[in-house]
C-alpha cells in the first residue's frame, strides 16, 4: 500500500499570474500558495504591490493572465492597511461581516474594546483593534492582514501575537515589524522584481537568505553583462557577420541587451537619507525634577525625575494613552507640568516628527508640502536643492509632485514627513512612531542614519526591534502614572521590569523584590535600631558656586535671546556694522558662558547627589 502523502492542498494558489499596471507589469509570473493553518509573511518594498497581491489572493482583483485556484468553501477575512469603521457601535461594525453577535462581542472584548462604544471619533489603535476583532469573529479559513501592528501599542501587539499563535486558520500578513514577524511566521513570501520567492522558514531566517539571493542575482547580472560584451566584440569583428549580416546572432545580441536592461530596471532604487546635527547643544539637554501631570482626575505622570544628556538615545514606551507624547512635550518645554521643574539645555535645535501627521493636509500636493513657502527649491541642510531632486532622494517620482497627498500610501506619507524633518539642521531629533507604514528597506536605512547621528535622539515607538537596535535607555509608562527608566532597549527593560506594563501590575517590580527580601530576612528583635547617619553635604564653597551657576543658567538664555533679537534685524549689518559685530560677539560669548556653566553645574550636581547618597 502506498504511503499517504503528507502534503496538504493549498487553500488558495496563484500560478504564473501577470498583472499590468501602466506601461510595465506589476506582476510577471507570480507563483504563491497558502496552505491550511500556516502563518506566512508577505514582504517587499513599498510600491512593490503587496496589497494588490493580497487582493489577488482574495479574488478582489482579476489578473491579466495566469491561474487562481481556491479550495471550495474557503472563507476569507481581510484587515486592510487603513480600515474604515462603519455602523452605530463597534458591535454593529463587527457583525457586519456576517459574524455571530456573541462571537463579535467576545472578540471586541478580547482586543480591549467596549462593544457598545460608538463607532466614531476612534483613535488609530481603536480602529485597528476593531478591524482585527471583526476579522477574527468571521472565523475565516484564511486571514489576510496588511500592516496589522500599525497604531497598536505593545500590549495589543502581544495580544495579537498570542491569538495568531493559537489560531486554527491560515494567516498571510504584510508587516514591517520584525519582532512580530519573528514570533508568528513559519514561511516568507518575498515580492521582488515582479515575482515571488518563497522561504519555507520563519522570518528570523529571512535576512541571511535574502542576502544570498541578492548576491546570486548580482553575480548572474555580472555574467550576463560579460556575455553581452563578448558577443558584441564577436559580432562586430566577425568577417562572416560583416559580409552576410548574421541575423540570428544580431537577434540573440539584442535579446541579451533587452534582458539586461529589464533586470537593471527591476533593481530597487536606493533611498537617500542624510541629517545635519547642526550646532552642538549644551551637555545638558533637559532635566526634569519631580515632574507631575494630570488631566482632570486622570494622573498621567506621577513624580518623575530624569536627566537627558547630549548624545543620549532615549526610547519612550508604553500603552496607547499612557502619556508618552505628553512627556515628550514636557521635555521639549512645549507643555508645563503641574508640579516639579524642567530645565532645558543651551543651543537646542529640536525637530519633531509627529505621528499624527498634523502638518499634512489631504488636499495639498507633495510639492506644496516640501515647499511651504512656495518656489521650486528647498533648503536641505543649508544647501538649496530643487524640489524634484530632493523628492527623488525619498523615492518619489516627478509625476507625483503635483498629486494631492490623499493619493499617497501610508508609507509614502511617512517618507514625506521624513523628507521635511531631515531637511532641517537638528541637534535634537524627536521621532513619534516613525516606523508606521515604512517598508524594511526604508527602516534599515533610517536605522543606519540614526546610528551615525551625533545629536540627541528621543524615540517614541511600539516597534520592539527598532527600540532594541537604537536605544541606550528606555523610559516605560504604564498608563497609571508610574514611570521607570532602564538602561538599554526594550529587551533590557522587560528583563528588569517583568509585568510592569500589565494592568494592575506592581508599578515598580524592583521595589516588590526588595520588600520580599526584607520580609524574608527581618532584623533580630533585640537589635537596637541603627542611629541615623547624617548625610554628607557639599562644601560651603561648592554650594555657593552651585547657587551662582543656577542663577547664570536662568539669566544667560535671556541674554542670548536678546542678542539674537538684535541680529534678527535684516538691515542692521548695512546700517550699523559695529553694532552687528558687537551683537554677534556678545551672543557668542553668552553661548560659551552658558555651555561652560552647564558643564560645571552638572559636575557639582553629580557630586551633590553622590554625597547625599
Amino acid at each position: 500500500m502506498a504511503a499517504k502523502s503528507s502534503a496538504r492542498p493549498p487553500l488558495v494558489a496563484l500560478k504564473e499570474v501577470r498583472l499590468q499596471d501602466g506601461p510595465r507589469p506589476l506582476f510577471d509570473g507570480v507563483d504563491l500558495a497558502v496552505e491550511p493553518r500556516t502563518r506566512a509573511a508577505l514582504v517587499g518594498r513599498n510600491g512593490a504591490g503587496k496589497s494588490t497581491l493580497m487582493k489577488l489572493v482574495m479574488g478582489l482583483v482579476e489578473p491579466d493572465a495566469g491561474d487562481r485556484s481556491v479550495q471550495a468553501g474557503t472563507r476569507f477575512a481581510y484587515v486592510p492597511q487603513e480600515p474604515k469603521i462603519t455602523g452605530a457601535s463597534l458591535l454593529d461594525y463587527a457583525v457586519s461581516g456576517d459574524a455571530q453577535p456573541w462571537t463579535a462581542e467576545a472578540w471586541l472584548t478580547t482586543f480591549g474594546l467596549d462593544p457598545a462604544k460608538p463607532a466614531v471619533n476612534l483613535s488609530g489603535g481603536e480602529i485597528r483593534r476593531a478591524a482585527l476583532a471583526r476579522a477574527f469573529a468571521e472565523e475565516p479559513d484564511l486571514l489576510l492582514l496588511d500592516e496589522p501592528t500599525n497604531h497598536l501599542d505593545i500590549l495589543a501587539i502581544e495580544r495579537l501575537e498570542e491569538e495568531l499563535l493559537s489560531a486554527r486558520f491560515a494567516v498571510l500578513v504584510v508587516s514591517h515589524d520584525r519582532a512580530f514577524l519573528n514570533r508568528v511566521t513559519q514561511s516568507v513570501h518575498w515580492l521582488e522584481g515582479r515575482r515571488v520567492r518563497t522561504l519555507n522558514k520563519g522570518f528570523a531566517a529571512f535576512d541571511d537568505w535574502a542576502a544570498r539571493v541578492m548576491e546570486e542575482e548580482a553575480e548572474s547580472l555580472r555574467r550576463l553583462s560579460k556575455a553581452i560584451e563578448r558577443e558584441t566584440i564577436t559580432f562586430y569583428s566577425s568577417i562572416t557577420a560583416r559580409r552576410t549580416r548574421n541575423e540570428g546572432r544580431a537577434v540573440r545580441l539584442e535579446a541579451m541587451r533587452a534582458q539586461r536592461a529589464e533586470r537593471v530596471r527591476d533593481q530597487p532604487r536606493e533611498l537617500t537619507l542624510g541629517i545635519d546635527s547642526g550646532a552642538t547643544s549644551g551637555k545638558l539637554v533637559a532635566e526634569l525634577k519631580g515632574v507631575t501631570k494630570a488631566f482632570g482626575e486622570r494622573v498621567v505622570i506621577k513624580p518623575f525625575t530624569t536627566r537627558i544628556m547630549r548624545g543620549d538615545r532615549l526610547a519612550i514606551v508604553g500603552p496607547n494613552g499612557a502619556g508618552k507624547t505628553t512627556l515628550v512635550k514636557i521635555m521639549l518645554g512645549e507643555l508645563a507640568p503641574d508640579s516639579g521643574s524642567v530645565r532645558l539645555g543651551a543651543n537646542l535645535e529640536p525637530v519633531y516628527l509627529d505621528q499624527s501627521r498634523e502638518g499634512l493636509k489631504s488636499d495639498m500636493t507633495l510639492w506644496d508640502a516640501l515647499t511651504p513657502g512656495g518656489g521650486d527649491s528647498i533648503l536641505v541642510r543649508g544647501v538649496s536643492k530643487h524640489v524634484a531632486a530632493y523628492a527623488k532622494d525619498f523615492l518619489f517620482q516627478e509625476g507625483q509632485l503635483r498629486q494631492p497627498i490623499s493619493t499617497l500610501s501610508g508609507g509614502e506619507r511617512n517618507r514625506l514627513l521624513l523628507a521635511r524633518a531631515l531637511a532641517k539642521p537638528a541637534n535634537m531629533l524627536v521621532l513619534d512612531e516613525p516606523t508606521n507604514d515604512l517598508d524594511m528597506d526604508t527602516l534599515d536605512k533610517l536605522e543606519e542614519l540614526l546610528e551615525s547621528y551625533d545629536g540627541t535622539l528621543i524615540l517614541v515607538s511600539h516597534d520592539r526591534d527598532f527600540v532594541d537596535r537604537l536605544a541606550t535607555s528606555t523610559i516605560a509608562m504604564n498608563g497609571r502614572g508610574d514611570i521607570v527608566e532602564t538602561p538599554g532597549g526594550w529587551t533590557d527593560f522587560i528583563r528588569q521590569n517583568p509585568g510592569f506594563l500589565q494592568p494592575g501590575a506592581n508599578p515598580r517590580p524592583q521595589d516588590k523584590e526588595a520588600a520580599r527580601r526584607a520580609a524574608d530576612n527581618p532584623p533580630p528583635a533585640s537589635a537596637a535600631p541603627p542611629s541615623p547617619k547624617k548625610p554628607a553635604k557639599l562644601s560651603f564653597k561648592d554650594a555657593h558656586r552651585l547657587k551662582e551657576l543656577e542663577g547664570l543658567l536662568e539669566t544667560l538664555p535671556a541674554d542670548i535671546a536678546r542678542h539674537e533679537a538684535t541680529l534678527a534685524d535684516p538691515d542692521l549689518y548695512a546700517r550699523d556694522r559695529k553694532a552687528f559685530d558687537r551683537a554677534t560677539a556678545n551672543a557668542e560669548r553668552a553661548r560659551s558662558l552658558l555651555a561652560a556653566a552647564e558643564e560645571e553645574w552638572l559636575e557639582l550636581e553629580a557630586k551633590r547627589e553622590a554625597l547625599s547618597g
Side-chain angles (χ1 to χ4, degrees):
M1 183 175 175
K4 188 176 180 179
S5 174
S6 61
R8 295 174 291 181
L11 291 170
V12 59
L14 304 179
K15 183 69 173 175
E16 286 293 316
V17 162
R18 288 172 169 78
L19 184 68
Q20 200 75 16
D21 180 31
R24 301 185 69 235
L26 183 62
F27 305 130
D28 189 11
V30 162
D31 295 330
L32 186 148
V34 182
E35 295 182 352
R37 300 185 66 174
T38 58
R39 300 183 301 274
L42 174 59
V43 301
R45 293 171 289 109
N46 284 145
K50 299 187 296 295
S51 298
T52 303
L53 186 56
M54 294 185 87
K55 292 175 182 177
L56 275 168
V57 169
M58 291 186 67
L60 300 177
V61 173
E62 286 291 326
D64 296 328
D67 298 318
R68 173 182 177 268
S69 58
V70 185
Q71 273 194 38
T74 298
R75 301 185 309 277
F76 296 90
Y78 175 48
V79 178
Q81 194 167 344
E82 296 185 359
K84 306 296 182 187
I85 308 300
T86 58
S89 68
L90 292 183
L91 183 58
D92 291 332
Y93 165 73
V95 299
S96 62
D98 295 330
Q100 295 294 335
W102 55 87
T103 306
E105 188 170 347
W107 279 110
L108 286 167
T109 303
T110 295
F111 283 106
L113 296 170
D114 178 1
K117 184 179 177 68
V120 293
N121 299 323
L122 301 174
S123 68
E126 288 172 328
I127 290 172
R128 181 70 55 184
R129 285 182 284 144
L132 288 168
R134 169 179 153 157
F136 274 79
E138 291 174 12
E139 298 181 340
D141 299 299
L142 173 57
L143 174 61
L144 299 101
L145 303 173
D146 196 348
E147 296 290 358
T149 64
N150 276 2
H151 307 295
L152 292 185
D153 61 33
I154 290 174
L155 296 181
I157 292 172
E158 291 181 340
R159 165 57 64 188
L160 175 59
E161 289 171 349
E162 294 297 334
E163 297 301 337
L164 291 176
L165 289 170
S166 62
R168 299 177 64 84
F169 47 72
V171 180
L172 181 63
V173 57
V174 171
S175 179
H176 65 271
D177 189 325
R178 291 176 180 272
F180 172 77
L181 292 177
N182 283 342
R183 189 172 182 206
V184 304
T185 60
Q186 299 163 310
S187 61
V188 183
H189 302 293
W190 182 24
L191 177 57
E192 179 66 30
R194 297 173 289 131
R195 295 175 181 267
V196 169
R197 299 176 177 88
T198 296
L199 171 67
N200 292 315
K201 294 181 180 179
F203 183 78
F206 172 76
D207 283 339
D208 290 341
W209 172 72
R212 289 195 299 272
V213 170
M214 295 306 291
E215 287 173 6
E216 291 168 3
E217 287 286 314
E219 177 60 22
S220 174
L221 183 60
R222 188 191 68 79
R223 289 197 298 268
L224 177 60
S225 298
K226 281 291 184 183
I228 291 172
E229 183 181 331
R230 288 195 302 271
E231 188 69 14
T232 301
I233 293 171
T234 302
F235 180 78
Y236 285 106
S237 63
S238 167
I239 297 175
T240 303
R242 289 199 303 269
R243 289 180 178 174
T244 65
R245 298 177 58 84
N246 188 329
E247 294 298 329
R249 172 159 272 165
V251 168
R252 186 165 63 251
L253 180 58
E254 188 61 32
M256 291 170 69
R257 287 173 173 169
Q259 182 186 359
R260 181 177 62 180
E262 189 69 17
R263 289 176 64 174
V264 168
R265 272 200 300 269
D266 282 339
Q267 290 184 331
R269 289 186 298 141
E270 289 285 326
L271 186 74
T272 304
L273 293 181
I275 190 168
D276 180 358
S277 56
T280 303
S281 70
K283 188 174 181 180
L284 174 72
V285 171
E287 184 188 47
L288 282 64
K289 282 188 175 181
V291 163
T292 67
K293 190 67 182 178
F295 297 98
E297 296 295 319
R298 181 168 170 264
V299 177
V300 177
I301 301 173
K302 293 178 182 177
F304 176 61
T305 297
T306 191
R307 185 178 294 155
I308 304 172
M309 309 300 292
R310 183 178 63 232
D312 281 353
R313 299 180 184 188
L314 174 67
I316 303 177
V317 302
N320 287 340
K324 301 185 293 296
T325 301
T326 298
L327 180 59
V328 167
K329 289 183 176 179
I330 289 174
M331 289 177 171
L332 294 176
E334 295 179 2
L335 183 66
D338 294 339
S339 62
S341 63
V342 178
R343 184 195 299 277
L344 297 179
N347 302 331
L348 287 182
E349 296 177 351
V351 166
Y352 187 13
L353 184 69
D354 184 5
Q355 64 165 321
S356 65
R357 301 170 179 165
E358 285 183 358
L360 300 181
K361 297 179 181 178
S362 60
D363 58 344
M364 70 166 43
T365 65
L366 193 149
W367 188 297
D368 296 333
L370 289 175
T371 58
D376 60 1
S377 63
I378 180 173
L379 197 63
V380 180
R381 300 182 287 278
V383 178
S384 181
K385 193 167 187 176
H386 192 274
V387 63
Y390 188 56
K392 189 176 180 180
D393 288 345
F394 288 82
L395 308 185
F396 292 109
Q397 303 285 350
E398 191 166 350
Q400 292 179 284
L401 290 172
R402 297 299 186 184
Q403 293 178 1
I405 286 176
S406 58
T407 65
L408 300 180
S409 68
E412 287 171 330
R413 273 176 261 175
N414 228 8
R415 289 208 309 272
L416 175 56
L417 284 174
L418 282 173
R420 298 206 320 173
L422 298 180
K424 309 168 190 172
N427 55 32
M428 182 179 185
L429 197 57
V430 184
L431 304 179
D432 196 348
E433 292 298 345
T435 66
N436 281 349
D437 302 309
L438 295 181
D439 61 35
M440 290 179 189
D441 289 341
T442 303
L443 277 178
D444 289 343
K445 286 286 184 183
L446 182 59
E447 283 176 8
E448 290 173 12
L449 177 75
L450 296 177
E451 283 172 355
S452 61
Y453 176 58
D454 59 2
T456 303
L457 175 66
I458 297 179
L459 174 66
V460 180
S461 182
H462 300 307
D463 190 321
R464 295 156 292 179
D465 182 78
F466 198 67
V467 169
D468 267 340
R469 290 171 184 242
L470 290 173
T472 55
S473 65
T474 300
I475 290 176
M477 308 177 71
N478 65 6
R480 300 182 295 277
D482 305 302
I483 304 178
V484 294
E485 185 168 5
T486 308
W490 168 258
T491 303
D492 299 297
F493 156 70
I494 284 295
R495 185 176 61 250
Q496 297 180 48
N497 300 275
F500 173 78
L501 296 179
Q502 298 299 326
N506 185 296
R508 298 184 186 272
Q510 61 269 42
D511 294 345
K512 184 177 180 180
E513 176 63 19
R516 185 190 64 76
R517 287 198 302 269
D520 290 343
N521 300 283
S526 58
S531 57
K533 184 179 178 181
K534 188 175 180 181
K537 295 182 179 179
L538 287 175
S539 67
F540 174 80
K541 180 180 178 181
D542 284 345
H544 180 70
R545 179 56 179 163
L546 187 62
K547 195 168 184 179
E548 283 183 340
L549 291 169
E550 287 174 347
L552 287 172
L553 294 176
E554 292 290 339
T555 59
L556 284 172
D559 291 345
I560 294 170
R562 189 174 65 254
H563 298 314
E564 287 178 342
T566 301
L567 292 169
D569 180 357
D571 300 322
L572 179 62
Y573 184 86
R575 187 177 65 249
D576 191 342
R577 171 67 184 275
K578 289 184 178 179
F580 177 86
D581 291 342
R582 189 165 53 251
T584 301
N586 288 338
E588 187 57 39
R589 183 165 55 253
R591 291 191 194 98
S592 298
L593 286 172
L594 181 58
E598 275 188 348
E599 295 274 358
E600 190 178 356
W601 177 84
L602 283 168
E603 292 173 2
L604 288 175
E605 183 69 8
K607 184 177 179 181
R608 184 191 65 78
E609 289 176 357
L611 288 171
S612 63

